[in-house]
Amino acid sequence: RVVMAQYKYGTDEEVTQAQKLITALLARLLLEYPNGSPGLYSCYVDVLCLARERAKAEVVYREAWRKYPGDRRLARVRAIRDLPEP
């Protein structure tokens, strides 16, 4: 949660760079741990949305929902980011 809030401070260029780094880090974590966790998936989807990678966020969200149907963290990020239901 701290990481999610902290990287929003700085210039537009710094924020964009931080979003790219965090997105890449979360993607690598999911490659290492393919089952991930609902929390990891919800953070990844949230950062993808903030980084204006909505199409990818929707794909990742659907994958996460298949693995963890009904998870409240995933439902919350869907509601906050106005993602379509899987």
Side-chain angles (χ1 to χ4, degrees):
R1 206 137 177 68
V2 170
V3 171
M4 296 290 293
Q6 276 303 109
Y7 77 82
K8 294 179 187 174
Y9 297 100
T11 65
D12 287 344
E13 184 179 317
E14 291 168 334
V15 170
T16 300
Q17 183 179 12
Q19 288 172 338
K20 287 179 183 178
L21 289 170
I22 291 171
T23 300
L25 171 69
L26 293 171
R28 282 201 330 247
L29 280 171
L30 284 171
L31 283 176
E32 277 189 52
Y33 305 98
N35 287 332
S37 71
L40 179 59
Y41 274 106
S42 63
C43 284
Y44 188 37
V45 169
D46 197 33
V47 173
L48 286 169
C49 287
L50 291 170
R52 295 177 184 90
E53 294 187 41
R54 179 140 179 123
K56 187 171 184 177
E58 289 179 11
V59 169
V60 172
Y61 177 78
R62 283 192 300 272
E63 176 186 335
W65 194 259
R66 277 193 302 274
K67 290 181 181 183
Y68 303 102
D71 183 79
R72 62 184 175 84
R73 288 166 287 194
L74 293 171
R76 183 172 177 264
V77 78
R78 181 184 75 222
I80 290 170
R81 298 295 170 204
D82 196 30
L83 295 168
E85 291 200 30

